[in-house]
Each structure stands twice: as C-alpha cells, then as structure tokens.
Amino acid sequence: MKTKPDLTFWGLWNLSFGFLGVQIAYALQSANISRIFATLGADPHSLSFFWILPPLMGMIVQPLVGKFSDKTWCRWGRRIPYLFIGAACAVAVMCFLPNAGSIHLDNTTKIWGLFTTSMLFGLVMLMFLDTSINIAMQPFKMLVGDMVNEKQKKLAYSIQSFLCNVGSVIGFVFPALLTWFNVSNEAPEGVVPHSVIYSFYIGAAILILCVIYTVVKVKEWEPQTYAAYNEEQHTAPTPDDNPGLLRLLTQAPAAFWQIGLVQFFTWAAFLFMWTYTTGTVAANGFATPVDPTTAKLITASTQYQEAGNWVGIIMAIQAVAAVLWAMVIPNIKNTRLGYSLSLLLGAAGFVSMYFMQGRWGFAVSEMLIGCAWAAALAYPFTLLTNALQGRGHMGSYLGLFNCAICLPQIVAATLGGPILRSLPLAANGASDEPMMMVIGGLMLIGGAIAAFGIKER
C-alpha cells in the first residue's frame, strides 16, 4: 500500500471548509429548537420528545450515506455529491422551519393530544432539516479518512473541529446580533420572533456558499488512486466487497465499541443540554414569570425571549472555549487522560448550572462544557479512523459509528420527560429543569471513566 502524501495546510483546510456552513445550520438548530417549540406551545415535560427526530434520522441516514458513498464513483467524486445534495436540501428547509408558527393553521385542537398543527409542521421540517444536515455532514469526516495520512489526521480533525466551533459561534449569536440591530425579538404568542427567522435565512445562505467552496476546491481521487493509497483492489466486486451493515458490525475492531461506550454517555448529556438549557437559564438567570395555572414558564414574556438570545451567547462562549481547548488537546500525550479530563471538566460545567443565579455565571459553566465538546469532536474519529486503517469500508464504518452519537440522544430524549416529571417542583413553581443539567453532568462522569478503557492502535 502506498503512503498517502502530505497535504498542505490549505489542502487540509479546503477539505473541511464547507463544514463551517453545515455547523452554522446545526448550531441554529441546537440553540433554537427548544425555544421554537416552547414558543409554539410545547409543554416542558414533552420538550425532550421533539429531540427524538434529529438523532433518529441521523441513525438511519448516516450509515446509508457511508455505505452508498463507499461504492459511488462519478465525475463529481465519491463523497462530494452527497455533501452537495444534503446542503441544498438543508438550505430549503431552513427557510420553512422557523415559520412554523406563522402559517395559518388551526392551533386550537391538539393532534394525538400532544401536538398542535403548527408543532406538527415544525416537526416535519425538523425531520427534513436534520436528515439533510446529516447527509451533508458525514462526507466531511469521510473525506479526511479517505485522503489524509495518519500523521496528519489529528491536524485535519483539529481543523475540522476549529471550523465546527467557529460555525457554532456564528450560528449561536445570530439571534442576539440581529436583536442588537433592532430586528424584533418579540412576537405574538405561538409565533417565532423575526430575530430567529432571519437568523435561519442568513445561515442558509452561508451554508450553501461554504459548501460550494469545498466542491470547487477539492478533487477526490479516482478509484485506482484511492485503491493504491487505501489497500483496496479496484476489480470486479465480489460478495466480500459489499458486506451488509450487520456483518460489518460483527467484524468491527474493539476500539469501535469502546469509543462507542464513551459516546453513549457524552451525547446523552449533550441532548439534555440542548433540551433544557433555555429553561434553566430563563428560570435561574432571567426570573422568567410562571403561569400559575400550568406551572410553565411564560414563553411569550420578554424575559423568556431574552433568555433565548442569551443561550445563544453562552453557547457561542462554549464554542470559543472549545476552540481554545482543541489547541491544548494535541499537547496531552496520553490520549485517554486527555479525553477523560475533558469530559470531567464538562461535567463540572453541567452541574454548576444548577447553582447559577446570574446570567454571567452560565458563561463560566459553558466554558467548562466547551472542553467536553472539543474532546467529543476531536478524539473519537481520530481514534476510530486509525483503528480502521487498512480494513476498507471506511464510510460504512463511520456511518455506523454515528449510531453511537444518535442512539444515546434517542434514549435521553425518550427518558427526559418522565425524569423531569419525577422531579419536585422548583421554588418558583416551574418544573426543575436545572436538575436535568446535574443528571447530564453525571453522565459525563460515566463517559470519563469509560474513556480509560479504550485500547489505542
């Protein structure tokens, strides 16, 4: 097998630049979905159920994208066609999703006793948005696995992590920034404010421009060159060349499962963060009023919408902290120690949110969570692609590995509501959403312990 050539810094940069736009879309989704659905009237006890669709679609889509792209060879490349199609679909859906509350549908009757028609429309749009983001996101990880040698792989994923976090900062601050430019941050009950709607429009425009840049700048290897660098024979396919996903799982290296266990704890915690941070900040940091008859935060209040903007700001601070921590990670020679330490710092950030009262205290919490976020982006794919080197079916394995990100989110989203119902009411009469952050911190501690069980290649 020939050794893959070193790429220039800008060669590595171009491989991942489109990821910046994809992450802006993902950040807008992460920071605003709970806010959008709460504004549309979702009960906090049911809020986690709205988060089942994104990981469920990722669990279905990403293994298929990996498997099919492994066998796709065309004039536009191997991974890039999926990247571009996913981004184009995401752009279209981003223009519809935040308008769910503005469409004139009957919102007086609950469907299945749970969703209004606006919520159902939003759910369908969320399903399509996350599907398209997943289709666009996965090829970037595969491009690094395909074209970057082991010596440069950590740098390549660090660049991807940097662009990911820069995209997060941009996406997170958009609503607050537009509010600062006098775009309305208030709206009638059940309608999403213009500051959020226009943020999605601008994010969609940036997404497609970034992806076009990568499509123009990156030229994937043709089949013969790829085979020479990746120890694969470009000959007539045999049954062994196209194994089923279940068979690939049975043949996966031990590191696949060991890293997956860490991922389970990590991404369950992140799902709780995305679901309950807005309610936690609104209750503890902005003294949001509570409806005495329903014990729910009044989402149409100025305090709640200001808290929604502030969540974007502190998540941007988290992303900046993740960028800085990503620069520290390569200097920690013991990989398992670095991974565990990062997750423990994140756990401290989660638990501290329960005790915070002022808005700036949450910024400190998110800085610590940023350390765990940086580790979740940098360590797993570096460890896994090294373990998979020379096995073939890289795309299929990376797609399957995405289940270790999606499955814990589905479990956490399913259990979030029942767990929240079992908690005592907080002093202000609202459900104790801050306690869910403590539970997320305990999950990260479990991930830190599991990280010491990973066997490196």
Side-chain angles (χ1 to χ4, degrees), residues 240-264:
D240 286 339
D241 294 329
N242 190 28
L245 295 177
L246 183 59
R247 182 178 170 191
L248 286 174
L249 279 176
T250 63
Q251 297 173 347
F256 181 95
W257 303 103
Q258 293 160 354
I259 303 167
L261 179 60
V262 182
Q263 293 281 78
F264 186 90

Side-chain angles (χ1 to χ4, degrees), residues 390-438:
R391 283 176 172 262
H393 310 290
M394 178 74 73
S396 297
Y397 272 117
L398 289 179
L400 287 168
F401 185 68
N402 187 65
C403 294
I405 296 174
C406 299
L407 182 60
Q409 293 181 62
I410 294 171
V411 172
T414 303
L415 297 179
I419 292 173
L420 188 60
R421 286 190 182 90
S422 70
L423 297 174
L425 293 179
N428 61 3
S431 294
D432 200 355
E433 293 183 58
M435 181 58 73
M436 300 300 288
M437 307 304 291
V438 176

Side-chain angles (χ1 to χ4, degrees), residues 27-312:
L28 284 166
Q29 172 185 297
S30 300
N32 293 287
I33 288 303
S34 286
R35 177 183 183 180
I36 288 172
F37 283 107
T39 300
L40 295 178
D43 189 296
H45 300 102
S46 304
L47 202 55
S48 65
F49 295 135
F50 292 90
W51 283 94
I52 292 177
L53 274 179
L56 179 62
M57 297 313 299
M59 196 168 175
I60 295 171
V61 169
Q62 293 212 28
L64 295 178
V65 170
K67 182 174 178 62
F68 291 136
S69 67
D70 275 345
K71 301 301 178 183
T72 296
W73 299 100
C74 66
R75 59 179 296 186
W76 297 285
R78 190 186 194 199
R79 316 293 186 184
I80 284 178
Y82 296 89
L83 184 162
F84 186 79
I85 292 171
C89 293
V91 167
V93 178
M94 287 176 73
C95 296
F96 287 106
L97 174 60
N99 289 293
S102 304
I103 57 177
H104 298 290
L105 295 172
D106 176 20
N107 280 313
T108 60
T109 303
K110 292 275 184 96
I111 300 170
W112 304 311
L114 189 62
F115 308 123
T116 65
T117 48
S118 288
M119 280 188 240
L120 187 61
F121 177 82
L123 272 172
V124 173
M125 289 299 101
L126 176 59
M127 178 182 71
F128 283 116
L129 176 60
D130 205 77
T131 300
S132 54
I133 288 177
N134 273 291
I135 293 172
M137 183 183 295
Q138 191 70 357
F140 287 103
K141 301 182 179 75
M142 298 174 188
L143 283 171
V144 173
D146 288 347
M147 302 180 68
V148 179
N149 60 40
E150 290 194 29
K151 182 178 67 175
Q152 290 188 304
K153 202 166 283 181
K154 183 176 285 189
L155 174 60
Y157 280 122
S158 294
I159 291 172
Q160 200 168 95
S161 178
F162 171 79
L163 290 169
C164 171
N165 286 297
V166 170
S168 295
V169 171
I170 296 171
F172 288 146
V173 302
F174 264 149
L177 186 62
L178 292 181
T179 301
W180 188 73
F181 280 107
N182 294 320
V183 176
S184 176
N185 192 48
E186 299 180 14
E189 185 176 355
V191 177
V192 178
H194 283 160
S195 58
V196 177
I197 294 173
Y198 294 158
S199 294
F200 274 76
Y201 292 166
I202 297 170
I206 297 174
L207 166 60
I208 197 64
L209 290 174
C210 291
V211 167
I212 288 174
Y213 176 90
T214 288
V215 170
V216 171
K217 289 291 187 179
V218 174
K219 181 175 175 56
E220 294 187 73
W221 292 326
E222 70 278 3
Q224 292 81 0
T225 303
Y226 176 85
Y229 286 127
N230 288 276
E231 209 173 47
E232 292 185 8
Q233 297 293 324
H234 186 65
T235 58
T238 68
D240 286 339
D241 294 329
N242 190 28
L245 295 177
L246 183 59
R247 182 178 170 191
L248 286 174
L249 279 176
T250 63
Q251 297 173 347
F256 181 95
W257 303 103
Q258 293 160 354
I259 303 167
L261 179 60
V262 182
Q263 293 281 78
F264 186 90
F265 289 111
T266 302
W267 288 95
F270 287 151
L271 189 282
F272 282 170
M273 176 185 72
W274 294 323
T275 306
Y276 300 110
T277 294
T278 300
T280 298
V281 173
N284 285 5
F286 286 78
T288 301
V290 177
D291 186 332
T293 60
T294 62
K296 290 167 53 179
L297 296 169
I298 299 176
T299 58
S301 65
T302 300
Q303 295 95 322
Y304 186 87
Q305 296 302 333
E306 286 180 353
N309 278 1
W310 189 247
V311 168

Side-chain angles (χ1 to χ4, degrees), residues 342-377:
S342 302
L343 296 181
L344 287 174
L345 290 172
F350 268 82
V351 174
S352 66
M353 294 186 79
Y354 177 81
F355 301 98
M356 294 300 176
Q357 296 299 319
R359 64 180 65 185
W360 283 105
F362 291 105
V364 177
S365 300
E366 291 290 346
M367 288 181 190
L368 294 172
I369 294 173
C371 298
W373 182 254
L377 294 178

